[in-house]
Amino acid sequence: MKKNKGVLSLLSVLVFFSACITTKQQTDPKNLVIREQGSFAVGGTKTTEQGSFDLNNALKPQGQTFHGDHAYAFYQIPVKAHKYPLVFLHGAGQSKKTWETTPDGREGFQNIFLRRGFGVYLLDQPRRGEAGKSTVAATITPVPDEQFWFTQFRIGNYPDYFPNTQFPKDSASLEQFYRQMTPNTGDFDGNVISEAVSQLFNKIGEGILITHSQGGGPGWFTAIKNNKVKAVVAYEPYSSFVFPKGELPSPIKSAGLFGELKGTEIPLTDFNKLTKIPIVIYYGDNIAKEPTKIWNKDHWRSGLEMARIWAATINKHGGDATVVHLPEIGINGNTHFPFSDLNNVEIANLLSKWLKEKGLDK
Amino acid sequence: MKKNKGVLSLLSVLVFFSACITTKQQTDPKNLVIREQGSFAVGGTKTTEQGSFDLNNALKPQGQTFHGDHAYAFYQIPVKAHKYPLVFLHGAGQSKKTWETTPDGREGFQNIFLRRGFGVYLLDQPRRGEAGKSTVAATITPVPDEQFWFTQFRIGNYPDYFPNTQFPKDSASLEQFYRQMTPNTGDFDGNVISEAVSQLFNKIGEGILITHSQGGGPGWFTAIKNNKVKAVVAYEPYSSFVFPKGELPSPIKSAGLFGELKGTEIPLTDFNKLTKIPIVIYYGDNIAKEPTKIWNKDHWRSGLEMARIWAATINKHGGDATVVHLPEIGINGNTHFPFSDLNNVEIANLLSKWLKEKGLDK
């Protein structure tokens, strides 16, 4: 008996260790453990050309269909996922690449939040990237404009980097940043985009919408259209701040290259839907505090000012909107892309903290 | 002592089982365990507009740069990965979506081969999808043509599905299939594509190139340009079969809507590079055996015939090329997209068997 128990004991220990060894690679915290991943098209419209399809003249459009204006989504659901997935909508000239590997090769929000247990849905908006099938025609011309974007996106005032910039200063990173832009295959249409993103939420259920820049406008309208959007996180939204009829603020003059910034008037009943969910808006650094002739710093000054007026209006109507200007909480040097800047883990920590405070990471 | 050993034994068993429980989700075979994943742009060119950039006229092109014609790659490396990753290049009108979730929502080759231990690199070729920044202008027009593609891609002769088709017959699957097409943002240029894909192999090292349809041509040229391509797997290549100077076969007449099929003449020294690596080519079902007026079946008849002449030429020069016409080995009903058809696991098994035979799955 004694001997047998000793053997059993030894055996159990060996089995235990062998189990540990065989599962080591699976349990290595560096690994991403994905329960499910895939992609699909969602939303969009279908048109049918008059006439009837002739199999013997199959290149003639008569009677043929065209499906377009859908969004493309690539999703990954980790093991033990939180209740609400994160849905990521890119900004102007960008694609879902925005949220993937950073220009200098570090992990972006896709991997960072997968590691934190969130399902992630990365979108190419209608008429962009892999959702390129547009119902409207477009002409695409290669226009040398990258030094403009370097400046507009507040990496610096080309060729100078801002002294405290969180953008990597090596040329390979800047090249990756320039190459991650991709053109519209049809005119930008915020309603087409919010329709497709709303259809995504109908498909996947409740979740949290995270927008960047130009994606901010369609983000507000998606949340108005679909109560499955349980929160909105907006990085540096600029245009399409929505206000109730009669409460539209005066346009904000700006030395920015897109001129003065106006709000958009919508019915109060629609506006009120944005007061039912928590909303947080983040802006980076090198944004002017007072009007200035430095056009990039003044462009984003007008955006930040409008965001503050908007949040105050949301809160006046009983909502929960917060505007965070990162330098005011001691986080300096961020560009228009805080989520891929050198300090993007700190930016992610800030979001995780907010999600926890709002009970959105259950 | 007896008691202590009993306790130790019990303790070990408990620890063992608790270890099993805590690692169960990680070791669930349904989970994908990813050691590393990310995305990047690779290859491409850079142009600079004459003049000098003026920060105060930042929308003028003078002195500004334009990076374009790169490929976009999304990669995933599983734990315990085989030596050679698989690099996937899509066909005409497609993007990397080709290799992801199938139109009816099953796993595509991306997940299937990740589960089999291969690193996977999914490409959007230059001027397509998220690699949309093209150095040449393009006009994109929405043309209703989906019933043509249904027929050209041998799902059937619209509106009829081929009786034995491996394409799902529900409307939702067909809609997903139509929406996964995405337009060129600049003219198709095989050389631009093979340059970018060759640069990818310079970046990632040795691997196996898997092409579909129109990707076949750039695939041959990539393997000629870069000896890090250790094998080529081509699904239904059509155009750009390359032959040594003086060995070009006669064009193959076809009732297909793209007319007769010609080979492409290249220097023998280039051709010989394709004789140094194993190559396998797969074609699906509903391809005519003899010339016929049914244009889709005859289009692919000419492609299959040219592929056989090409493989014979490769082998005559000491190479190792195999053409597999799936119905001839008892696999019936495949469309132009065997890797996403209903039997795509069987199609994947066929590839796994070939990779093993050639020692490419070490």
Side-chain angles (χ1 to χ4, degrees):
Chain A
M1 278 301 287
K2 231 175 115 174
K3 194 177 170 198
N4 290 353
K5 278 206 181 119
V7 170
L8 171 60
S9 157
L10 182 62
L11 200 65
S12 307
V13 174
L14 287 175
V15 171
F16 167 56
F17 281 118
S18 67
C20 289
I21 289 157
T22 56
T23 61
K24 184 190 175 306
Q25 281 194 282
Q26 272 68 16
T27 55
D28 182 335
K30 291 193 302 297
N31 294 332
L32 289 160
V33 185
I34 308 297
R35 202 192 73 227
E36 186 188 350
Q37 73 175 25
S39 66
F40 54 84
V42 65
T45 59
K46 169 191 172 183
T47 58
T48 306
E49 186 83 0
Q50 286 193 331
S52 56
F53 175 65
D54 177 2
L55 188 59
N56 297 316
N57 291 286
L59 292 178
K60 290 187 175 175
Q62 282 71 25
Q64 298 206 55
T65 59
F66 183 90
H67 290 77
D69 290 355
H70 45 269
Y72 162 88
F74 180 72
Y75 70 95
Q76 294 181 290
I77 312 298
V79 292
K80 301 183 203 164
H82 298 298
K83 178 182 179 187
Y84 296 135
L86 307 180
V87 176
F88 291 91
L89 178 61
H90 58 75
Q94 299 283 316
S95 72
K96 69 173 176 48
K97 177 73 176 81
T98 292
W99 313 100
E100 298 171 352
T101 303
T102 66
D104 56 327
R106 293 169 299 106
E107 293 196 325
F109 269 24
Q110 174 186 32
N111 286 12
I112 289 171
F113 282 95
L114 269 170
R115 295 186 185 287
R116 296 181 184 192
F118 288 92
V120 298
Y121 290 77
L122 307 187
L123 304 186
D124 282 352
Q125 72 188 23
R127 309 177 183 176
R128 187 80 55 81
E130 294 177 20
K133 254 182 122 173
S134 164
T135 62
V136 295
T139 299
I140 297 172
T141 314
V143 176
D145 60 3
E146 292 169 341
Q147 287 63 34
F148 159 72
W149 290 116
F150 177 103
T151 307
Q152 172 72 7
F153 289 157
R154 303 195 329 277
I155 294 170
N157 291 325
Y158 193 85
D160 301 323
Y161 289 80
F162 287 127
N164 66 355
T165 188
Q166 293 282 358
F167 193 89
K169 291 180 178 171
D170 63 290
S171 61
S173 297
L174 190 56
E175 178 175 346
Q176 283 290 316
F177 182 75
Y178 288 150
R179 293 190 186 278
Q180 85 179 35
M181 294 194 82
T182 196
N184 286 323
T185 54
D187 282 349
F188 177 90
D189 185 326
N191 187 53
V192 165
I193 295 166
S194 61
E195 276 301 313
V197 181
S198 179
Q199 287 303 315
L200 175 92
F201 279 93
N202 285 339
K203 177 182 172 69
I204 71 171
E206 298 178 335
I208 297 160
L209 180 57
I210 301 182
T211 68
H212 177 222
S213 194
Q214 192 182 43
W220 310 135
F221 284 102
T222 302
I224 288 168
K225 289 175 177 179
N226 198 317
N227 63 11
K228 294 186 177 68
V229 178
K230 307 312 286 185
V232 178
V233 178
Y235 288 94
E236 298 217 340
Y238 176 71
S239 54
S240 295
F241 280 104
V242 293
F243 293 87
K245 280 203 165 50
E247 298 186 43
L248 200 59
S250 310
I252 300 175
K253 300 210 179 311
S254 171
L257 301 190
F258 299 100
E260 67 177 15
L261 177 55
K262 295 175 178 170
T264 303
E265 213 172 37
I266 63 172
L268 178 62
T269 50
D270 286 347
F271 182 85
N272 280 339
K273 292 174 181 167
L274 296 176
T275 67
K276 309 298 185 218
I277 56 173
I279 295 171
V280 64
I281 302 177
Y282 297 100
Y283 287 89
D285 200 352
N286 296 298
I287 295 173
K289 289 190 172 55
E290 303 296 331
T292 168
K293 288 204 170 73
I294 303 172
W295 57 266
N296 54 342
K297 292 189 171 189
D298 208 52
H299 172 86
W300 295 106
R301 174 195 56 84
S302 65
L304 175 53
E305 280 185 19
M306 185 64 81
R308 286 181 161 140
I309 295 167
W310 182 80
T313 310
I314 287 282
N315 295 336
K316 190 186 77 184
H317 284 266
D320 173 14
T322 308
V323 174
V324 178
H325 187 203
L326 294 169
E328 292 174 9
I329 59 171
I331 301 177
N332 301 307
N334 281 107
T335 71
H336 184 51
F337 291 69
F339 42 79
S340 58
D341 281 338
L342 292 167
N343 63 339
N344 68 335
V345 170
E346 183 178 18
I347 300 302
N349 293 345
L350 210 58
L351 177 53
S352 290
K353 185 165 168 289
W354 183 83
L355 292 171
K356 183 169 206 58
E357 284 167 8
K358 302 301 177 183
L360 296 166
D361 63 351
K362 298 233 166 19
Chain B
M1 277 300 287
K2 233 177 115 173
K3 193 179 172 196
N4 290 355
K5 279 216 180 101
V7 171
L8 172 60
S9 158
L10 182 63
L11 199 66
S12 306
V13 174
L14 287 176
V15 171
F16 168 57
F17 282 117
S18 66
C20 288
I21 289 156
T22 55
T23 62
K24 185 188 174 308
Q25 281 193 281
Q26 273 69 17
T27 55
D28 182 337
K30 291 193 302 295
N31 294 333
L32 288 161
V33 185
I34 308 298
R35 203 191 72 227
E36 185 188 351
Q37 72 175 24
S39 66
F40 54 84
V42 65
T45 59
K46 170 190 171 183
T47 58
T48 306
E49 185 83 2
Q50 286 193 331
S52 56
F53 175 65
D54 176 2
L55 188 59
N56 297 317
N57 292 285
L59 293 178
K60 290 188 175 175
Q62 282 71 26
Q64 298 205 55
T65 58
F66 182 90
H67 290 77
D69 291 354
H70 45 270
Y72 162 88
F74 180 72
Y75 70 94
Q76 295 180 289
I77 311 298
V79 291
K80 302 185 204 162
H82 297 299
K83 178 181 178 187
Y84 296 134
L86 307 181
V87 176
F88 292 90
L89 178 61
H90 58 76
Q94 299 283 317
S95 72
K96 70 173 176 48
K97 175 73 176 81
T98 292
W99 313 102
E100 298 171 351
T101 303
T102 66
D104 57 327
R106 292 170 299 105
E107 293 196 326
F109 270 24
Q110 174 186 31
N111 285 12
I112 289 171
F113 281 95
L114 271 171
R115 294 187 186 286
R116 297 181 184 192
F118 288 91
V120 298
Y121 290 76
L122 307 188
L123 304 185
D124 281 353
Q125 71 188 23
R127 310 177 182 175
R128 188 78 56 82
E130 294 177 19
K133 255 182 121 174
S134 164
T135 62
V136 296
T139 298
I140 298 172
T141 313
V143 177
D145 60 2
E146 292 168 342
Q147 286 62 34
F148 159 72
W149 290 115
F150 177 103
T151 308
Q152 172 73 6
F153 289 157
R154 302 194 329 277
I155 294 170
N157 291 325
Y158 193 85
D160 302 323
Y161 288 80
F162 287 127
N164 67 356
T165 188
Q166 293 282 357
F167 193 90
K169 291 180 177 172
D170 63 289
S171 61
S173 298
L174 191 56
E175 178 176 345
Q176 283 290 316
F177 182 74
Y178 288 151
R179 293 190 186 280
Q180 83 180 37
M181 295 193 81
T182 196
N184 286 323
T185 55
D187 284 349
F188 176 89
D189 185 325
N191 187 53
V192 165
I193 295 165
S194 61
E195 277 299 315
V197 181
S198 180
Q199 287 302 315
L200 175 91
F201 279 93
N202 285 340
K203 178 183 171 70
I204 71 172
E206 297 178 336
I208 297 159
L209 179 58
I210 300 182
T211 68
H212 178 223
S213 194
Q214 192 182 43
W220 310 134
F221 284 102
T222 302
I224 289 168
K225 288 175 177 179
N226 198 319
N227 63 12
K228 294 185 178 71
V229 178
K230 306 312 288 184
V232 178
V233 178
Y235 288 94
E236 298 218 340
Y238 176 72
S239 54
S240 294
F241 280 104
V242 293
F243 294 87
K245 278 205 165 53
E247 299 185 43
L248 201 59
S250 309
I252 300 175
K253 300 211 178 310
S254 171
L257 301 190
F258 300 102
E260 66 177 15
L261 178 55
K262 296 175 177 169
T264 302
E265 214 172 35
I266 62 172
L268 178 62
T269 51
D270 286 347
F271 181 85
N272 281 339
K273 291 174 182 168
L274 296 175
T275 67
K276 309 295 185 226
I277 57 172
I279 295 172
V280 63
I281 302 177
Y282 297 100
Y283 287 90
D285 201 351
N286 297 298
I287 295 173
K289 289 190 173 55
E290 302 298 331
T292 169
K293 288 204 169 74
I294 303 172
W295 57 265
N296 54 343
K297 292 188 172 191
D298 209 52
H299 173 85
W300 295 105
R301 174 194 57 82
S302 65
L304 176 54
E305 281 184 19
M306 184 65 82
R308 285 180 162 142
I309 296 168
W310 182 80
T313 310
I314 287 282
N315 295 336
K316 190 185 78 185
H317 284 267
D320 173 15
T322 308
V323 175
V324 178
H325 186 203
L326 294 169
E328 291 174 10
I329 59 171
I331 301 177
N332 301 307
N334 282 105
T335 70
H336 185 51
F337 292 68
F339 41 78
S340 58
D341 280 339
L342 292 166
N343 63 339
N344 68 336
V345 170
E346 184 178 17
I347 300 301
N349 292 345
L350 209 59
L351 177 52
S352 289
K353 185 165 167 288
W354 184 82
L355 293 171
K356 183 169 205 60
E357 283 168 9
K358 302 300 177 183
L360 296 166
D361 62 353
K362 297 232 165 22

